[in-house]
Amino acid sequence: MPRTLSSGMISALSAGSVNLAIFAQLQMSNETLYLWSGIGPITWNSMTFQGVGTLGKVTGISEAANVEAKGMQISLSGIPSSMIQEALYNVRLFQTVNLWLACFDSAGAIISDPVVSFAGLMDKSSIDDDGNTSTITINVENVLADLNRPVCRHYTDADQQLDLKTTLTRLGLSTSTLDTGFSHVNLIQELTVFWGSNPKSVNNG
């Protein structure tokens, strides 16, 4: 996808040598993890990322000229076997993952602004356990994969109010002004309508 790079990033990436790092934001069920590919904590954009060094790995980031939802994988090794069940429990489907590519200047400061290199949703995960430590690998789908999922909405009153009630509440308006058009859908399912003649039963009135 097209990206807008700051002048600092353009200069850094055009130089003969460049110091790069990956920043990762992973939404888990109990917390949001902020990790980066270096050592020690580092703060950027009001987020503090913990360094995982060589224990973290990102694979499979690729793009093509055509519009295609290509996924990738994130691996974190060195997890004690006793904590692997907790780690798996907190990895949930469709939680968000964001990756940024960052550059550093000669003084070790972050050059503004790191660019989003991938944004997606968590898919299935797998574990490689050697008895002492484990490696967890999370497959991440590109956000474009949502375009292939059907929209499960219905022509019912309950479905209509999902959006309307939330919108009115957010705007501070009374929910008494809700559109109730779909509340009549159930009534017309078995209704017989006579055109051009009077009904012979009050049930068809």
Side-chain angles (χ1 to χ4, degrees):
M1 64 180 180
R3 295 176 175 84
T4 301
L5 300 180
S6 66
S7 58
M9 286 290 290
I10 294 175
S11 299
L13 294 173
S14 302
S17 61
V18 59
N19 296 320
L20 298 174
I22 293 291
F23 291 174
Q25 178 189 39
L26 290 77
Q27 182 184 359
M28 315 297 283
S29 65
N30 61 336
E31 63 177 330
T32 300
L33 296 180
Y34 299 94
L35 309 172
W36 78 292
S37 56
I39 303 298
I42 188 170
T43 300
W44 166 71
N45 199 25
S46 301
M47 297 179 289
T48 300
F49 298 82
Q50 302 299 324
V52 294
T54 58
L55 296 180
K57 185 169 63 174
V58 174
T59 60
I61 297 181
S62 62
E63 294 184 354
N66 57 321
V67 179
E68 185 177 355
K70 292 189 175 184
M72 46 80 71
Q73 292 182 328
I74 293 179
S75 297
L76 184 63
S77 57
I79 302 175
S81 296
S82 59
M83 297 180 61
I84 198 61
Q85 183 175 357
E86 180 181 356
L88 277 179
Y89 177 79
N90 291 321
V91 175
R92 300 294 178 88
L93 292 176
F94 307 127
Q95 300 283 49
T96 58
V97 174
N98 293 305
L99 299 180
W100 293 270
L101 177 66
C103 294
F104 296 85
D105 59 21
S106 57
I110 300 174
I111 296 175
S112 61
D113 292 298
V115 60
V116 175
S117 58
F118 189 90
L121 302 173
M122 290 185 185
D123 197 358
K124 64 180 181 180
S125 58
S126 60
I127 291 294
D128 183 11
D129 191 346
D130 64 6
N132 296 315
T133 62
S134 304
T135 299
I136 181 170
T137 301
I138 304 172
N139 293 327
V140 184
E141 288 187 350
N142 193 291
V143 291
L144 291 176
D146 279 343
L147 298 177
N148 296 324
R149 295 190 177 97
V151 179
C152 298
R153 302 300 296 268
H154 306 279
Y155 291 109
T156 63
D157 181 61
D159 195 286
Q160 183 186 23
Q161 306 314 325
L162 287 176
D163 293 333
L164 295 177
K165 187 173 294 185
T166 301
T167 300
L168 291 175
T169 301
R170 186 172 62 248
L171 295 176
L173 302 176
S174 172
T175 56
S176 62
T177 59
L178 285 174
D179 182 354
T180 58
F182 282 126
S183 64
H184 305 288
V185 171
N186 292 336
L187 298 177
I188 65 175
Q189 296 300 309
E190 303 298 331
L191 179 65
T192 301
V193 179
F194 293 87
W195 294 99
S197 62
N198 294 323
K200 298 181 180 179
S201 170
V202 293
N203 293 327
N204 295 324

